[in-house]
Amino acid sequence: MIRVTIWNEYLHEQESKKIAAVYPKGIHNALAEGIRGDGLEIATATLEEPEHGLTEERLKNTDVLIWWGHKGHLRVEDAIVDRVQQRVIEGMGLIVSHSGHKSKIFRKLMGTSGSLKWREVGEKERLWAVNPSHPIVKGVGPYIELEHEEMYGEHFDVPEPLETVFISWFAGGEVFRSGITYQRGQGRIFYFRPGHETYPTYYNKQVLQVIGNAVRWAAAANPSEVVYGKVPPLETLN
Ligand code: ZN
């Protein structure tokens, strides 16, 4: 079993009727229902729970963490961010979605600002699978078309990715590296762009397929226990 925790700040859905109409049970539960399938054991956690729902115990029992945050980035406590970072280094997978590009955890793991250009007019987005043999695009086809999404445009201030899996085109003319991978320590990281809270993106079958694939890809890192620090020599040294 792959143990997945879906973390959502869960503020917009409680504060806006318009957004609650799209995600009545919150983005975290929409995602949980959308990716539920063989081999996945799914839990959720939200900002306002004690320790943001990300206790030592919860993270120890998480193989892959999915992160959705936006307006509450600065309310996430640094100690919890450190805890998540430590688990990534130990091998926990992390999938950062949409506005998570500005989350503390993503910026900490990237070492850059995570800044980008944006525009919210509900234009069309087409995500091209530019790495067709990558496990994250399995079963998705050559592209995903989203009729209405927020635009994110280059330049995206992130380190050069390990792999670029999707590149988005927007009706307004911009392009964006919308599916990119990293490794930090033993942990695999996938950033996936779409998922603005006012659009039903997390009900799109292809989007859910990508996230489900990414969970399985990130969990396949197969982390092992490594001992660091002072060690005796293996050979006799004079
Ligand atoms: Zn957004």
Side-chain angles (χ1 to χ4, degrees), residues 4-8 27-28 31-32 35 40 42-43 45 54 62 64-69 92-97 202 211-212 214-215:
V4 183
T5 299
I6 301 174
W7 189 88
N8 175 19
I27 284 172
H28 50 306
L31 272 173
I35 66 169
L40 302 186
I42 300 173
L54 300 174
T62 298
V64 180
L65 178 65
I66 298 176
W67 193 277
W68 197 101
M92 181 182 75
L94 178 68
I95 298 169
V96 176
S97 204
Y202 293 123
I211 296 170
V215 164

Side-chain angles (χ1 to χ4, degrees), residues 209-223:
Q209 175 84 36
V210 168
I211 296 170
N213 288 346
V215 164
R216 291 170 175 89
W217 166 83
N222 221 353

